Amino acid sequence: MIEVTGLSKRYGDKRAVDNLTFTVRPGLVTGFLGPNGAGKSTTLRMIVGLDRPTSGSARVCGRPYHELPTPLHTVGALLEAKAVHDGRTAREHLRGLAASHHIPRQRVDEVLAMVGLTAAARKRVGGFSLGMGQRLGIAAALLGDPEILILDEPVNGLDPEGIQWVREFMRGMADDGRTVLVSSHLMSEMQDTADHLIVIGRGRLAADSSMADFLARSSHNGTVVRTPHAPQLVPLLQREGGTAESLPGDASPDGALLVRGVDARRIGELAGQHGLWLYELAPQRVSLQEAFMELTADAVEYRVTHSGKAA
Amino acid sequence: MTMATTTTPAASATPRSHGTAARRPRFVHAVTFEWIKVRSIRSTWWTLFAASFITVGVGVLGGGHAHSGESAALVLREIFVGLPLGQVAICLFGVLAATSEYGTGSIRSTFTAVPHRPRLLAAKALVVFAVSLVTGLLISFATYTAGSLALGTQVAHPALSDGAVLRAVLGGGCYLGVLGVLALALGLVLRASAGGITTAVSVTFILPIVFRMMGDSGQPLLKWWPTEAGQQILLLIPSPENLAPLPGFGYFATLTLVALIGATVLVNRRDA
């Protein structure tokens, strides 16, 4: 359990984090989303006591991080790849951290094996690729077999196999009843992984909801209906509390509609009851990326000028 | 290099330990942590080697140049003539013990493992002190021995059986031990290796030379300059215009402790 209450961080005039309040619960993978520069990393650093909040507080298992009796057994954090001295070997880095909590040496070899770094254990970290650095960071986070995992952009630099591994790993940790907080600026990454989402933009909370609710709330949601009987169908839908508009960008003569507020099943029933033909009845699955873009459209700090289509 | 996809986290052999169930780490664990970090980077070993090589090597040359008719006090000074240079390498060690962590970002893993920063810095200072002290004593006695062997037959031999000589040689080692901690404090305050090293070299080596060139007006500065006061412990016959050996060293050690406490307060207040 991570509780963030009224958390703010100001650098001069700039509010990097602005009055954030949210709770991260155990048993779920919670995605922490926001565009670059939204304040994700700053928030995570405050949670683990590296940065001091300007105001507000962050508590882990009911206490500020620095009051935890055994921090590495409580929280495993991957905050940036390669927070390691270049000249040190992977094993020495982990042995040092293990020594700080009298974690047995065999655990070091265990976590190295878990992330697939056994063969590179004696190599100096300076020669590691970004992906290997990430693996080492994950190994360090696992060292204390913690109840809470905080991962800042964990799949950065990983190959597809590594990404798959991280996903399964986070799922496994959450299913085991642990708290998993994972940040990303890649929405596609979260769609398959997260159960719950916390979205921030410009340091402020933009959304705190389950993945399903988050997607359902998007205006991109709806059902595409293609029918020659639109004039008869639309009033029926409206009586059910739905809305219908012509599908944007659609040039077909049939006049496709985008229907919201009534699900596909009900639309089919209504059409059937009234003998209306349907040529197409297609629920639109909104992508997290679209929902996110919509939400943070005005909260993106570093906007690119070309308007690339969202993936 | 592939991740072991078959290994699921739940399959780890160590039973799940909850924060409350695990034993609370003590100071000794922070010390072990720091010791592992210090010994596992190469800069530690080459800085300590450089300190030894320079001080002992120049000591042999100094001993070789000693003349007959010089007092034992002067001969000992000639043997330890390399110390002001060799101490720079000890400073490098102390500065790097702090700045290499900031430079590489590993300070963040360190602080997440031991969030109680004063405890961590005390452990770090203890390790740096112990390593500098042991190295310092080895350097000091090696310099004395090598320098003495290089002395001509007609030259007065400072003997360890003389209490003052023993105090000077032991004191030289202790001086280097404390100097390592002073450099650590500088590194903690400045965080950047380049700035830390430049400052440490200025404090221990360059500024005292400047003060000497200033003649009489530089003398009060030299008298109260921390490293110069600390080095008085190397003199067999105290110089009248400077602090006496033991008070001088005590003054130096006290200022070092103050610097370390100041650095700790600062680090504790700053974002990592």
Side-chain angles (χ1 to χ4, degrees):
Chain A
M1 180 86 100
I2 304 170
E3 296 151 288
V4 168
T5 315
L7 195 66
S8 298
K9 179 75 182 180
R10 215 172 305 149
Y11 297 107
D13 302 341
K14 191 182 172 337
R15 289 156 184 266
V17 174
D18 193 0
N19 198 22
L20 274 187
T21 299
F22 61 82
T23 301
V24 186
R25 291 187 304 275
L28 300 174
V29 175
T30 301
F32 191 35
L33 296 181
N36 284 329
K40 301 186 297 290
S41 295
T42 307
T43 305
L44 297 182
R45 281 206 304 273
M46 287 193 281
I47 291 173
V48 297
L50 289 174
D51 287 7
R52 266 164 207 278
T54 308
S55 60
S57 71
R59 286 169 170 267
V60 179
C61 291
R63 308 176 192 224
Y65 186 88
H66 68 270
E67 287 177 14
L68 291 173
T70 55
L72 292 189
H73 292 303
T74 311
V75 179
L78 166 73
L79 291 186
E80 59 192 302
K82 288 207 191 177
V84 188
H85 192 290
D86 287 349
R88 203 170 275 141
T89 68
R91 178 182 272 134
E92 291 284 12
H93 171 64
L94 294 176
R95 279 199 178 157
L97 290 171
S100 75
H101 279 57
H102 49 105
I103 294 168
R105 279 180 166 207
Q106 80 192 48
R107 178 68 184 162
V108 168
D109 296 327
E110 229 171 79
V111 295
L112 281 168
M114 283 171 75
V115 300
L117 280 182
T118 304
R122 290 168 189 279
K123 294 211 173 90
R124 291 180 194 280
V125 177
F128 275 24
S129 66
L130 182 57
M132 287 163 83
Q134 289 286 29
R135 287 160 196 254
L136 179 57
I138 292 170
L142 289 175
L143 208 52
D145 199 19
E147 289 169 63
I148 297 174
L149 270 171
I150 296 176
L151 307 170
D152 195 3
E153 305 270 359
V155 300
N156 252 2
L158 289 185
D159 50 24
E161 194 189 355
I163 292 174
Q164 187 58 32
W165 183 85
V166 169
R167 281 184 192 161
E168 284 170 12
F169 158 71
M170 293 192 295
R171 185 79 266 146
M173 296 299 270
D175 290 346
D176 197 25
R178 305 183 208 223
T179 306
V180 181
L181 178 62
V182 52
S183 86
S184 182
H185 65 284
L186 293 175
M187 308 314 130
S188 49
E189 187 42 50
M190 286 292 123
Q191 185 141 24
D192 306 326
T193 323
D195 308 301
H196 193 90
L197 289 179
I198 291 164
V199 184
I200 65 172
R202 291 205 175 178
R204 291 198 195 149
L205 191 68
D208 179 357
S209 72
S210 71
M211 175 70 85
D213 287 350
F214 185 78
L215 293 178
R217 228 182 305 151
S218 166
S219 63
H220 289 276
N221 264 317
T223 304
V224 171
V225 177
R226 209 177 288 276
T227 172
H229 301 130
Q232 294 94 316
L233 183 61
V234 171
L236 294 172
L237 294 170
Q238 284 166 345
R239 214 176 301 151
E240 298 271 324
T243 61
E245 60 187 70
S246 53
L247 190 65
D250 182 71
S252 63
D254 295 328
L257 299 170
L258 179 63
V259 178
R260 294 201 190 93
V262 183
D263 66 10
R265 180 195 170 101
R266 186 69 191 135
I267 297 167
E269 285 170 5
L270 286 169
Q273 282 162 15
H274 295 83
L276 306 174
W277 299 352
L278 296 183
Y279 297 155
E280 185 179 342
L281 181 62
Q284 298 299 291
R285 276 189 55 92
V286 66
S287 75
L288 182 57
Q289 177 81 9
E290 287 166 323
F292 174 78
M293 299 280 281
E294 195 182 336
L295 183 70
T296 58
D298 44 48
V300 178
E301 181 160 19
Y302 310 107
R303 189 185 296 280
V304 193
T305 41
H306 74 82
S307 56
K309 267 273 185 194
Chain B
M1 187 79 34
T2 55
M3 290 253 183
T5 43
T6 47
T7 315
T8 58
S12 70
T14 307
R16 170 125 174 250
S17 49
H18 284 275
T20 45
R23 278 189 300 153
R24 191 181 193 124
R26 294 187 311 270
F27 181 65
V28 62
H29 300 113
V31 173
T32 316
F33 181 25
E34 287 300 326
W35 165 237
I36 290 175
K37 283 193 291 181
V38 158
R39 73 159 194 221
S40 62
I41 52 174
R42 278 181 286 195
S43 65
T44 299
W45 303 110
W46 64 251
T47 49
L48 297 179
F49 172 77
S52 317
F53 185 77
I54 294 167
T55 315
V56 177
V58 177
V60 170
L61 298 177
H65 279 88
H67 296 294
S68 57
E70 288 176 353
S71 67
L74 186 58
V75 170
L76 192 69
R77 285 183 71 165
E78 283 170 318
I79 287 175
F80 277 95
V81 72
L83 191 100
L85 209 55
Q87 68 175 350
V88 169
I90 292 284
C91 286
L92 281 186
F93 164 69
V95 166
L96 286 175
T99 58
S100 72
E101 285 217 56
Y102 279 102
T104 57
S106 65
I107 194 72
R108 300 201 178 98
S109 0
T110 299
F111 283 154
T112 45
V114 186
H116 194 283
R117 296 185 192 178
R119 182 205 290 188
L120 180 90
L121 295 186
K124 198 184 268 296
L126 186 64
V127 168
V128 167
F129 177 62
V131 172
S132 314
L133 181 68
V134 169
T135 313
L137 288 171
L138 287 173
I139 288 175
S140 196
F141 279 95
T143 304
Y144 168 80
T145 308
S148 299
L149 289 173
L151 294 176
T153 43
Q154 305 295 311
V155 179
H157 241 81
L160 277 182
S161 53
D162 178 350
V165 174
L166 184 61
R167 183 259 297 150
V169 176
L170 272 176
C174 294
Y175 168 77
L176 292 177
V178 174
L179 184 67
V181 178
L182 181 65
L184 171 71
L186 281 176
L188 287 172
V189 171
L190 295 168
R191 291 188 277 192
S193 295
I197 290 168
T198 309
T199 309
V201 172
S202 306
V203 167
T204 55
F205 191 65
I206 297 172
L207 286 175
I209 292 177
V210 173
F211 297 155
R212 284 203 174 83
M213 294 193 309
M214 288 161 62
D216 285 349
S217 57
Q219 180 49 40
L221 287 168
L222 274 177
K223 178 180 181 181
W224 296 105
W225 195 250
T227 53
E228 290 300 307
Q231 284 176 39
Q232 299 305 311
I233 193 124
L234 281 156
L235 300 182
L236 292 187
I237 300 165
S239 81
E241 65 267 32
N242 286 314
L243 294 175
L246 286 178
F249 183 75
Y251 169 74
F252 169 62
T254 308
L255 285 187
T256 297
L257 190 63
V258 170
L260 182 65
I261 292 169
T264 305
V265 169
L266 196 61
V267 169
N268 203 34
R269 205 180 287 164
R270 279 196 302 221
D271 290 342

